[in-house]
Amino acid sequence: FSRFLDKFDPLTIENVEVVYGPTSLYGAGATGGVIQFFTRDPLDEGFEVSFGTQFRAFATGDDSLSSDGFSPKFNASISGRLNDRVSVFGYISYDDINGVFSADDELISGRSAFANDTTYFGKVRIDISDDQSLTAIVNRTELESANRQFELGGTLNSDGATVATELDTVFSYAEPPTNEFLYGALSYRHDNLLGGALNVLGYYSDSEFLNPGSDIRGTIAAGIFPAEWPGLWQSGRINEEYGLRMDFSRSFADRVSLTVGLDYNEVDSESLLPISTEEGFDDSLFFDAAISAEQTPPFTIDALGLFVEGKFDITDRMTLTGGLRWDRFEYEVIGPYSVVFFFPGFSNPGVRPGGEGDADDLSYNLGIAYDLGEQTTLFANFSQGFSIPSLGFIGNQVDPGVPISSSELVAPVITDSYEIGARGRWGTLGYAVAGYYTESDFQTTVSIAQDTGLSNRARAPVRIYGIELSGNWAVTERFFLDGSLTYIEGEVDPSDSGDFIDLSTQDVPPLKLTINPRYQLTDQWSVFGQAFYVADRDEGFDAGTDPRESDAYVLFDIGTTINLDFGRGGTGRLSLQVTNLLNEDYIPAGEITFIPGRVRPGPGRAVTLSYQHRL
């Protein structure tokens, strides 16, 4: 989940683009859409050196400003041109992450609490000519856990959320916890080739993580988990991926533009599950990793996509867009393998042989936009996505002795998405509203057993629909408001009989409302805030797909930023922010779907002071 967002430091990100629904331009299983992170480019002119600090502390109780809740971060960067042809951006940061506290001043256990996070990032751009450039990117992150250990699920507060209890002695390991990520990319761009633009991108990524040890013997003894489960273990994964993308874009007669291309992606994934024995652990808290197992089976995927996307300005007011995409997936689930954490009623212990297979299909998208006037645009689109399900989780659902390629569980996922809406401006008010509907006859869904909190993934017809509104308003020359409202519902037909029930909150979040005011006190000084409301949701609980109901909560943040000018001494940016201003005690909606004893409350009031200086 959030682990994938830890791979790049926020200060290396220039902007984020969200593409709703499938699109022919991006594939490799993107049946719901694409979130693209664009990293910072070097400065086009001059050369800049930057360094900064950030300090976070919790103000939830008398002892919350202790060292356990104090997290400093330091960073430095360079950006600019080395000469007429070469420009660089380099960044390094060190984040000393300490504990997170709830509103009740209780320590929240978590993967990244009490750890050191180091990031190295570099980008070099070579301007071969006025029309051609070559860009290389390297990103390396390392998260090293501190030598402290907390009991997971040892204590529950009044809401049933986990309270972390620190052990007097720490765990030791034959296989120490680790979290490392490496990403490298090389891209070539030609802006004037045969009257169009050519882009070529090659990339490689390698991630490996192994979590601290878990002792669930008490939960097994209480009968919540099966007696066959191991009581002492660590979980992790090794993921290696590389790929290639090429596309060529050209415009014709000022009304038609066309993009053609291909992408190729190969993934090798292996889960890690060192299982330890009780003898050495009870004496010295040593995870000996005596048994090597897998939480999910190892697999490989080769994905090839060919695509064409076009845009046609029918009139000055009407634009038609559309595309075709052909995808081929070849996969292998490497066997034989055994399911260690089988879910009673959903899966059984035993050996599976693995297997290999392939799937290919053609999908398409079609959209139209019409300008009612200079300030209002109506739009509608249909898009189709094609992919295969998550092989790791599906592999655990296959019955013992059955090759995965012989199971209908691995059948392709075809997703149809419909959207209609409007966007524009009305005076100083900008707005966008969209309604959407998505359906799939054989989607991967999640249901949570209410007695144990164990999750089951199955294949069944699914439909999801909702509405999203967003707006921004310049109230005065100095006072601005923006916000959004998102409402989603979703249903699944688990028996494929036409009887739909509500999806789990893991698939369908509650209604969400955000309001963000900002006031520009002076040209250099601004204050800002956020009101964030999440409604309650009991549909999943009533349908039996959630273990508990999700309660509503509202959070308020406030902050201020001052830009400073020191003349030849450079410029500075000083920010102070308070999150969860009212110290609201809440459980995030997504947490309700986790196993009992692993539900974590949300963070309490936190104060963050940061300063960034540029020379």
Side-chain angles (χ1 to χ4, degrees):
F1 303 146
S2 64
R3 188 186 308 277
F4 299 100
L5 299 180
D6 293 341
K7 292 181 176 180
F8 287 86
D9 190 292
L11 291 180
T12 66
I13 303 298
E14 184 71 32
N15 65 298
V16 180
E17 179 185 79
V18 179
V19 180
Y20 289 96
T23 169
S24 62
L25 289 175
Y26 310 104
T31 57
V34 177
I35 301 176
Q36 296 192 97
F37 292 82
F38 294 88
T39 56
R40 287 176 58 183
D41 287 324
L43 292 175
D44 286 331
E45 297 181 359
F47 200 84
E48 177 185 274
V49 177
S50 174
F51 54 89
T53 59
Q54 175 181 290
F55 304 97
R56 184 203 67 190
F58 285 86
T60 61
D62 295 338
D63 299 328
S64 54
L65 291 178
S66 67
S67 59
D68 274 351
F70 182 73
S71 297
K73 178 179 179 178
F74 308 93
N75 69 81
S77 67
I78 57 172
S79 182
R81 284 194 172 275
L82 298 181
N83 53 47
D84 292 341
R85 296 294 184 186
V86 181
S87 55
V88 299
F89 171 67
Y91 176 87
I92 184 172
S93 69
Y94 175 80
D95 194 356
D96 184 9
I97 306 171
N98 278 293
V100 176
F101 287 82
S102 70
D104 291 334
D105 199 23
E106 296 165 335
L107 192 60
I108 303 173
S109 61
R111 172 185 57 83
S112 59
F114 299 102
N116 300 320
D117 191 2
T118 306
T119 294
Y120 309 91
F121 179 88
K123 177 182 281 191
V124 178
R125 187 181 68 220
I126 302 175
D127 296 323
I128 302 172
S129 68
D130 292 341
D131 300 322
Q132 302 179 71
S133 63
L134 191 67
T135 303
I137 295 175
V138 175
N139 182 87
R140 170 75 172 176
T141 59
E142 301 174 1
L143 185 70
E144 181 180 356
S145 298
N147 193 26
R148 301 177 66 174
Q149 186 60 44
F150 298 84
E151 185 177 7
L152 296 178
T155 308
L156 302 180
N157 65 12
S158 58
D159 294 325
T162 302
V163 176
T165 303
E166 186 168 10
L167 301 176
D168 293 334
T169 55
V170 298
F171 294 165
S172 56
Y173 297 92
E175 297 287 345
T178 184
N179 191 346
E180 300 178 351
F181 172 70
L182 173 66
Y183 173 82
L186 182 65
S187 62
Y188 169 77
R189 180 176 179 87
H190 196 312
D191 290 323
N192 189 19
L193 179 66
L194 302 176
L198 173 69
N199 290 286
V200 182
L201 169 69
Y203 61 90
Y204 171 83
S205 71
D206 179 47
S207 64
E208 179 177 351
F209 72 87
L210 183 63
N211 289 325
S214 293
D215 181 1
I216 62 170
R217 290 176 295 174
T219 312
I220 295 174
I224 298 177
F225 296 158
E228 295 87 349
W229 281 23
L232 298 166
W233 47 272
Q234 300 166 257
S235 63
R237 180 168 293 278
I238 298 175
N239 220 70
E240 189 175 27
E241 180 176 351
Y242 61 87
L244 173 72
R245 175 186 170 88
M246 301 176 60
D247 63 66
F248 178 77
S249 302
R250 183 175 176 180
S251 298
F252 302 89
D254 296 330
R255 285 193 175 272
V256 178
S257 60
L258 201 64
T259 300
V260 296
L262 65 86
D263 48 47
Y264 174 78
N265 176 262
E266 179 172 325
V267 177
D268 295 292
S269 183
E270 177 186 358
S271 72
L272 305 174
L273 188 67
I275 299 173
S276 297
T277 57
E278 296 186 9
E279 292 78 9
F281 182 82
D282 289 336
D283 292 337
S284 58
L285 298 183
F286 177 64
F287 280 86
D288 58 18
I291 302 172
S292 179
E294 291 121 2
Q295 189 168 357
T296 57
F299 63 85
T300 63
I301 299 177
D302 291 340
L304 174 65
L306 306 176
F307 58 86
V308 55
E309 179 87 4
K311 177 183 176 183
F312 176 34
D313 294 327
I314 302 173
T315 68
D316 291 340
R317 291 192 172 189
M318 184 180 296
T319 300
L320 184 69
T321 59
L324 291 173
R325 181 178 179 88
W326 176 79
D327 284 292
R328 186 203 69 197
F329 296 93
E330 295 183 346
Y331 63 87
E332 180 182 6
V333 176
I334 301 171
Y337 65 92
S338 297
V339 176
V340 177
F341 295 113
F342 65 93
F343 297 158
F346 302 123
S347 59
N348 301 303
V351 176
R352 279 81 166 161
E356 59 185 32
D358 61 78
D360 67 271
D361 206 346
L362 187 71
S363 56
Y364 67 98
N365 60 278
L366 182 66
I368 188 169
Y370 182 76
D371 295 332
L372 287 178
E374 294 183 358
Q375 310 239 338
T376 303
T377 300
L378 304 179
F379 60 89
N381 66 73
F382 167 80
S383 52
Q384 189 176 81
F386 174 79
S387 185
I388 58 175
S390 172
L391 293 176
F393 288 107
I394 292 300
N396 281 357
Q397 307 294 105
V398 176
D399 290 331
V402 176
I404 192 169
S405 53
S406 301
S407 172
E408 66 173 6
L409 292 175
V410 79
V413 180
I414 300 175
T415 306
D416 294 332
S417 299
Y418 306 82
E419 184 180 22
I420 186 170
R423 57 179 175 264
R425 298 202 68 83
W426 185 25
T428 59
L429 175 66
Y431 67 90
V433 56
Y436 50 89
Y437 175 81
T438 298
E439 62 180 1
S440 176
D441 291 335
F442 210 44
Q443 184 61 267
T444 303
T445 65
V446 176
S447 61
I448 313 296
Q450 295 191 348
D451 54 344
T452 63
L454 299 178
S455 62
N456 169 56
R457 282 167 171 79
R459 306 295 304 278
V462 168
R463 56 194 186 197
I464 297 175
Y465 47 91
I467 187 170
E468 184 172 80
L469 300 91
S470 62
N472 56 84
W473 182 24
V475 184
T476 69
E477 291 184 353
R478 291 189 176 274
F479 183 40
F480 307 91
L481 278 174
D482 68 71
S484 64
L485 173 69
T486 304
Y487 172 72
I488 302 175
E489 289 291 351
E491 299 169 330
V492 59
D493 180 7
S495 58
D496 199 10
S497 61
D499 297 326
F500 282 81
I501 61 175
D502 290 292
L503 281 167
S504 166
T505 304
Q506 192 170 119
D507 288 323
V508 177
L511 178 145
K512 181 184 69 173
L513 171 67
T514 60
I515 300 175
N516 304 291
R518 180 172 63 88
Y519 190 80
Q520 198 72 34
L521 294 170
T522 69
D523 292 342
Q524 306 299 327
W525 184 15
S526 64
V527 294
F528 55 89
Q530 175 175 263
F532 180 73
Y533 170 73
V534 176
D536 54 20
R537 187 174 191 271
D538 56 11
E539 289 87 349
F541 177 77
D542 293 340
T545 55
D546 277 339
R548 57 182 292 175
E549 300 174 353
S550 173
D551 295 328
Y553 53 90
V554 59
L555 306 175
F556 295 95
D557 301 341
I558 191 171
T560 184
T561 297
I562 302 175
N563 294 315
L564 305 171
D565 190 346
F566 299 100
R568 294 185 177 181
T571 60
R573 184 180 180 90
L574 179 66
S575 296
L576 176 66
Q577 184 173 4
V578 181
T579 54
N580 195 357
L581 177 67
L582 302 183
N583 202 32
E584 176 75 9
D585 185 15
Y586 71 102
I587 297 179
E591 286 285 328
I592 70 161
T593 63
F594 284 98
I595 294 172
R598 301 259 177 135
V599 176
R600 298 182 176 94
R605 182 190 298 118
V607 180
T608 302
L609 177 66
S610 61
Y611 179 74
Q612 200 73 23
H613 193 86
R614 291 180 172 86
L615 294 172

